[in-house]
């Protein structure tokens, strides 16, 4: 078992280099998620096919109301707009100590989006979920780790000392 001796860490793992572009990348992901959430509100949340059949059409049935005509529509749209606003704020500002709270807010919005989608899913009865509900659920789940990652990036960027090569010349 001599081949399991101490392993060398690659140099790229010794000192992670997080920069402002990582913060911007998280903000862009949040903006894309918000756009998908807004689109998901206008896609059908319920399909009218027989139970057990999933219809992935992008238009609702004739007898089905849109999600904005239900009690979940306006909260879903409000959360989608809130995600877009937080993403836009993140794009405009540099990471600061308060930016950690923006990442935490994104994670909390993800939990709220997922809760709205699951509450709507529990009331479907014999109908099947539609494309809008699938997208809303997926984005709600993905927003939680994206928000946590954004908070960690902000925390690392605001508490880490500057790199030696970025120091002013003496």
């Amino acid at each position: 078992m001599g081949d399991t001796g101490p392993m060398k860490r690659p140099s790229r793992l010794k000192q992670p280099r997080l920069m402002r572009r990582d913060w911007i990348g998280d903000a862009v992901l949040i903006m894309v998620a918000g756009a998908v959430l807004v689109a998901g509100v206008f896609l059908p949340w319920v399909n009218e096919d027989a139970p057990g059949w999933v219809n992935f059409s992008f238009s609702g049935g004739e007898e089905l109301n849109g999600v904005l005509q239900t009690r979940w529509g306006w909260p879903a749209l409000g959360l989608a707009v809130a995600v877009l606003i937080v993403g836009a704020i993140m794009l405009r500002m540099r990471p600061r100590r308060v930016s950690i709270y923006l990442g935490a807010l994104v994670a909390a919005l993800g939990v709220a989006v997922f809760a709205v989608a699951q509450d709507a899913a529990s009331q479907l009865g014999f109908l099947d979920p539609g494309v809008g509900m699938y997208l809303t659920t997926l984005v709600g789940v993905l927003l939680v780790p994206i928000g946590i990652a954004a908070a960690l990036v902000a925390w690392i960027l605001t508490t880490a000392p500057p790199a030696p090569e970025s120091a002013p010349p003496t």
Side-chain angles (χ1 to χ4, degrees):
M1 300 271 179
D3 62 344
T4 59
M7 294 176 48
K8 284 188 161 186
R9 278 180 103 176
S11 63
R12 63 182 172 83
L13 296 178
K14 287 182 183 174
Q15 247 184 351
R17 300 188 100 186
L18 289 174
M19 295 184 226
R20 188 168 184 263
R21 69 176 174 219
D22 298 310
W23 174 256
I24 292 172
D26 288 336
V28 168
L29 283 175
I30 292 167
M31 292 288 292
V32 168
V36 170
L37 286 174
V38 169
V41 169
F42 297 103
L43 293 172
W45 277 39
V46 176
N47 289 313
E48 60 183 355
D49 287 350
W53 294 92
V54 178
N55 178 6
F56 291 106
S57 68
F58 289 107
S59 60
E62 295 174 10
E63 299 176 4
L64 297 175
N65 294 329
V67 73
L68 289 176
Q69 296 170 342
T70 66
R71 65 181 176 144
W72 302 284
W74 291 108
L77 185 61
L79 289 169
V81 170
V83 170
L84 277 172
I85 290 171
V86 172
I89 290 170
M90 288 175 67
L91 273 175
R92 298 283 302 161
M93 69 182 289
R94 297 177 54 125
R96 299 183 186 122
R97 291 226 185 236
V98 296
S99 303
I100 298 168
Y101 299 118
L102 286 174
L105 177 62
V106 170
L109 286 171
V111 171
V113 165
F114 183 77
V116 167
Q118 291 308 300
D119 188 36
S122 69
Q123 302 296 318
L124 287 179
F126 292 110
L127 299 172
D128 293 317
V131 176
M133 187 177 292
Y134 283 129
L135 286 176
T136 303
T137 302
L138 175 67
V139 171
V141 169
L142 291 177
L143 276 175
V144 175
I146 291 171
I148 292 171
L152 287 174
V153 166
W155 179 69
I156 290 170
L157 288 176
T158 57
T159 58
E165 62 267 9
S166 67
T170 55

